[in-house]
Amino acid sequence: DAKTTQPNSMESNEEEPVHLPCNHSTISGTDYIHWYRQLPSQGPEYVIHGLTSNVNNRMASLAIAEDRKSSTLILHRATLRDAAVYYCIPTGGTSYGKLTFGQGTILTVHP
Amino acid sequence: GAVVSQHPSWVICKSGTSVKIECRSLDFQATTMFWYRQFPKQSLMLMATSNEGSKATYEQGVEKDKFLINHASLTLSTLTVTSAHPEDSSFYICSARLRVNYGYTFGSGTRLTVV
């Protein structure tokens, strides 16, 4: 499984953009990059995923580096409800679709 | 779409008893489901891959005789914690996805407390 490196924690102010980085230098060529978030005492929630090109959905944008060794999750306008642990997970390919969770990034959003 | 329902949301049981947790895909069929366990202030740890109509695949270090997984239909997988002990107290979460290369949907989790 590809190893990932994410900051332990990040802080943001409400209504400001947030850029959550993730390094996955050992990613395989067929792995998709998935992002999930988890609120306390809840199951994780899917945020976004992509393979090579940048992706957008109603929740966030995903910017993938050209060499695919890193990616950035972008929350365009953080709200208090975005405060969660964010996990970046390369999967598919050699991991056969299994999700291996790292420690993630704890995002704190200040009002 | 792609809703996963998990039941119960919490359970308290006595040491030595067994507990069954259900995971249902409500609006899609899931040939594969995944079971995770999460201890306080830790990340999710994959326990096993549940395959419809065949045996589950357990991750290294997970006792298959203790954590029985049954995936008898395309919409239901169950995890039974047998002879539960206090150290089995944890947050158990299941997941599935609509199709290959889609995102995963997770259940809301089951908080198991063994007393």
Side-chain angles (χ1 to χ4, degrees):
Chain A
D1 296 346
K3 297 277 190 263
T4 59
T5 303
Q6 296 180 253
N8 290 331
S9 62
M10 292 186 66
E11 297 186 18
S12 173
N13 294 317
E14 210 174 2
E15 298 192 5
E16 290 185 354
V18 181
H19 290 232
L20 298 164
C22 180
N23 287 320
H24 31 76
S25 58
T26 60
I27 191 171
S28 81
T30 53
D31 279 351
Y32 279 73
I33 300 156
H34 287 235
W35 283 80
Y36 295 85
R37 68 183 186 184
Q38 185 181 26
L39 276 66
S41 298
Q42 294 187 26
E45 175 187 27
Y46 167 80
V47 179
I48 200 167
H49 78 294
L51 184 62
T52 55
S53 52
N54 296 342
V55 185
N56 300 293
N57 65 22
R58 63 177 179 80
M59 289 181 68
S61 295
L62 176 60
I64 301 171
E66 198 170 330
D67 62 7
R68 298 197 349 112
K69 292 185 177 181
S70 66
S71 61
T72 302
L73 179 70
I74 303 165
L75 305 179
H76 295 286
R77 290 184 63 192
T79 70
L80 296 179
R81 290 181 298 177
D82 292 323
V85 181
Y86 286 78
Y87 298 98
C88 155
I89 309 173
T91 191
T94 57
S95 64
Y96 302 105
K98 293 193 298 185
L99 293 179
T100 301
F101 284 78
Q103 291 307 305
T105 296
I106 300 171
L107 176 64
T108 302
V109 180
H110 299 289
Chain B
V3 177
V4 172
S5 175
Q6 191 172 340
H7 180 80
S9 56
W10 61 270
V11 59
I12 301 173
C13 72
K14 291 186 176 181
S15 195
T17 61
S18 296
V19 172
K20 180 184 286 188
I21 302 169
E22 292 187 349
C23 181
R24 294 181 185 273
S25 54
L26 295 187
D27 50 359
F28 68 104
Q29 294 182 331
T31 56
T32 302
M33 291 185 175
F34 299 89
W35 286 95
Y36 296 83
R37 179 168 55 179
Q38 185 176 32
F39 293 107
K41 300 206 181 295
Q42 293 186 23
S43 189
L44 283 77
M45 184 191 77
L46 179 65
M47 298 176 66
T49 303
S50 172
N51 303 298
E52 187 268 334
S54 65
K55 291 183 179 179
T57 305
Y58 291 83
E59 296 298 301
Q60 191 172 6
V62 177
E63 300 174 60
K64 61 180 181 181
D65 295 329
K66 180 167 186 59
F67 299 100
L68 300 180
I69 291 173
N70 184 282
H71 195 154
S73 79
L74 288 170
T75 59
L76 174 64
S77 175
T78 60
L79 168 69
T80 301
V81 183
T82 63
S83 187
H85 289 99
E87 56 265 31
D88 298 323
S89 297
S90 188
F91 192 49
Y92 292 86
I93 308 164
C94 66
S95 79
R97 61 180 172 180
L98 185 59
R99 53 179 65 101
V100 174
N101 292 331
Y102 272 45
Y104 286 87
T105 301
F106 289 80
S108 53
T110 298
R111 175 78 56 197
L112 170 63
T113 303
V114 184
V115 297

